[in-house]
Amino acid sequence: MNYILSPSLLSADFTRLGEEIHLLEQCGIKNLHYDVMDGDFVPSISFGMPVLKSIRRFTELTLDAHLMVTEPDRYVDDFRAAGADIITVHAEACRHLDRTITHIKQSGAKAAVALNPATPLQAVEELLPELSMVLIMSVNPGFGGQRYIPYCTDKIRRLRAMAERRNPELSIQVDGGINTDTLLPVLRAGADNIVAGSAVFNGDIAGNVAALQEILRVYEGEKAR
């Protein structure tokens, strides 16, 4: 299993966005997490297709569009055209989740579903064979800089067990409150794709990335023993 650090651009300095993405590339980052918020499904408003399209022009990194929006099916084709490689929709925001997942896959993007902290795993269980990834939200969506919700660790563990039965190749992404203190328990619970915003962009980006990547390396060594 590959363990991936996915910096969340929501925490980046948008006056230096291109420079910071280039720095992340130099640090060995392969994935970028792109949080889209509509002011309806979540209270905040972030950014949409035009910014993603601009990012796509100057990087070949995997772009993971996390759509925290009401009725995301309306935007699947536009985000794919803008350059999204992975499109993640919230189970809570979709009227017909199976139809939306089919739409994402037909667009050529990888399909993923996000679950809010209080949303049970059963909301996505039947769809696991159709998904590339499930995102466990470990904070309530809408704002950066929140603290990790502890009960999400057991939720990750139970999802990994469920995936072993239904889709062993499933990637489990975790988003919210991830830092050098919370990362290792999340990995041990079964996550492999780690979203980090403030823990990457606050202060020394290269140093922050190196500290998080070192924990990933330590865990990979732990797994190999």
Side-chain angles (χ1 to χ4, degrees):
M1 181 177 292
N2 294 322
Y3 294 91
I4 297 169
L5 179 63
S6 299
S8 171
L9 294 177
L10 188 64
S11 297
D13 180 349
F14 274 79
T15 67
R16 302 173 58 236
L17 184 57
E19 179 183 336
E20 292 190 347
I21 291 174
H22 182 60
L23 176 58
L24 292 172
E25 290 175 330
Q26 292 178 319
C27 292
I29 292 298
K30 303 299 183 185
N31 283 47
L32 294 176
H33 192 78
Y34 187 82
D35 286 308
V36 181
M37 300 187 287
D38 65 353
D40 183 28
F41 180 68
V42 293
S44 299
I45 297 174
S46 60
F47 31 59
M49 288 80 77
V51 175
L52 185 67
K53 188 174 182 179
S54 297
I55 293 170
R56 178 79 290 167
R57 290 194 191 106
F58 64 83
T59 186
E60 295 183 0
L61 297 182
T62 297
L63 298 180
D64 170 12
H66 175 195
L67 307 189
M68 291 176 274
V69 303
T70 301
E71 297 182 31
D73 195 75
R74 298 174 293 168
Y75 305 109
V76 166
D77 292 328
D78 290 333
F79 273 100
R80 176 59 178 160
D85 299 295
I86 305 168
I87 296 178
T88 302
V89 297
H90 273 259
E92 306 88 355
C94 296
R95 181 170 299 186
H96 302 293
L97 183 57
D98 178 84
R99 183 179 297 164
T100 300
I101 294 307
T102 299
H103 187 182
I104 294 171
K105 293 170 72 173
Q106 288 175 342
S107 78
K110 292 183 177 180
V113 174
L115 299 176
N116 285 339
T119 301
L121 296 175
Q122 285 72 20
V124 75
E125 182 174 8
E126 299 304 324
L127 274 172
L128 288 183
E130 305 301 321
L131 300 176
S132 295
M133 184 172 74
V134 172
L135 165 54
I136 297 294
M137 292 298 299
S138 46
V139 298
N140 289 293
F143 303 98
Q146 298 182 67
R147 291 186 178 182
Y148 181 85
I149 297 174
Y151 67 70
C152 292
T153 306
D154 182 62
K155 189 175 184 181
I156 298 164
R157 188 176 294 110
R158 287 184 286 115
L159 176 58
R160 178 54 69 195
M162 186 183 292
E164 288 300 322
R165 299 191 302 270
R166 305 296 299 272
N167 180 1
E169 300 302 314
L170 183 78
S171 176
I172 297 178
Q173 187 176 70
V174 178
D175 182 3
I178 298 298
N179 53 45
T180 53
D181 294 324
T182 57
L183 176 52
L184 193 54
V186 161
L187 293 170
R188 287 173 173 162
D192 59 273
N193 188 316
I194 307 299
V195 178
S198 302
V200 167
F201 290 101
N202 286 2
D204 176 8
I205 293 175
N208 293 337
V209 169
L212 293 166
Q213 288 177 327
E214 177 60 21
I215 294 172
L216 292 177
R217 282 192 289 270
V218 168
Y219 180 69
E220 287 176 352
E222 180 181 292
K223 286 280 288 183
R225 289 197 294 270

